[in-house]
Structures are given as C-alpha cells and as structure tokens.
C-alpha cells in the first residue's frame, strides 16, 4: 500500500475505487452472502461464520466466498468495460 494525495492505493487502485466496487457487488448479493461479507470484515473465520449462519461446517462458507470473489471480479470487469 502507498499513500498518494491522501488516498490509499493497493496495487495501483485507489481505496475509494475499491470501496465503490465493493458496494456495487454488495447490491448484487443475497442477504446471506452480505452477512458473510460483513462477518469477514469483522474478522470472523470461515468456521465461525458457518456456525453463526447455520452451516454444518466451513466448506459451505468457503464456496460462498469463492462465489462472492467471482462476483467482485465480474463487477469490476463490467465497470472497466463501461469506461
């Protein structure tokens, strides 16, 4: 990470831009997936999230996280195509 003109950059992408992408993806997700994201932000492990949301283990959460990541990259790609 580096700071340029008061903005944090990660791999050349402004934190503000990442937040916009993140918010755009959240709108696409169902309620349970949004809860997973929130719990991840709070520092929960996949196992803890699974227990909290009623999964039998962490594998269901891991699958959902993979889906959420795909949605993020898909959204980011669409945004870049629209510019």
């Amino acid at each position: 990470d580096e700071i340029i003109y008061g903005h944090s950059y990660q791999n050349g992408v402004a934190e503000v831009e990442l937040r916009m992408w993140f918010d755009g993806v959240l709108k696409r997700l169902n309620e349970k997936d949004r809860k997973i994201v929130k719990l991840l932000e709070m520092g929960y492990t996949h196992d803890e999230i699974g227990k909290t949301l009623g999964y039998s283990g962490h594998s269901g959460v891991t699958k959902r996280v993979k889906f959420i990541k795909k949605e993020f990259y898909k959204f980011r790609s669409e945004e870049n195509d629209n510019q």
Side-chain angles (χ1 to χ4, degrees):
D1 290 5
E2 61 180 310
I3 307 291
I4 300 175
Y5 299 113
H7 297 283
S8 175
Y9 284 78
Q10 189 173 37
N11 296 327
V13 178
E15 185 178 331
V16 172
E17 192 172 1
L18 284 173
R19 189 80 227 168
M20 288 172 45
W21 287 338
F22 186 75
D23 290 344
V25 171
L26 283 180
K27 292 176 186 174
R28 294 180 171 201
L29 301 178
N30 64 38
E31 184 64 27
K32 202 166 204 176
D33 288 344
R34 285 193 297 272
K35 285 181 183 177
I36 289 172
V37 170
K38 188 67 168 171
L39 292 170
L40 286 169
E41 284 184 313
M42 294 170 62
Y44 282 57
T45 65
H46 287 197
D47 195 45
E48 292 169 329
I49 293 170
K51 289 176 184 172
T52 301
L53 298 181
Y55 286 92
S56 60
H58 73 336
S59 64
V61 174
T62 299
K63 288 178 186 173
R64 296 312 306 160
V65 169
K66 286 180 183 179
F67 170 80
I68 292 165
K69 285 180 182 180
K70 284 181 185 176
E71 285 298 304
F72 174 81
Y73 290 115
K74 183 177 164 184
F75 180 82
R76 189 175 77 173
S77 176
E78 290 170 3
E79 285 294 303
N80 287 337
D81 289 346
N82 289 332
Q83 292 180 358

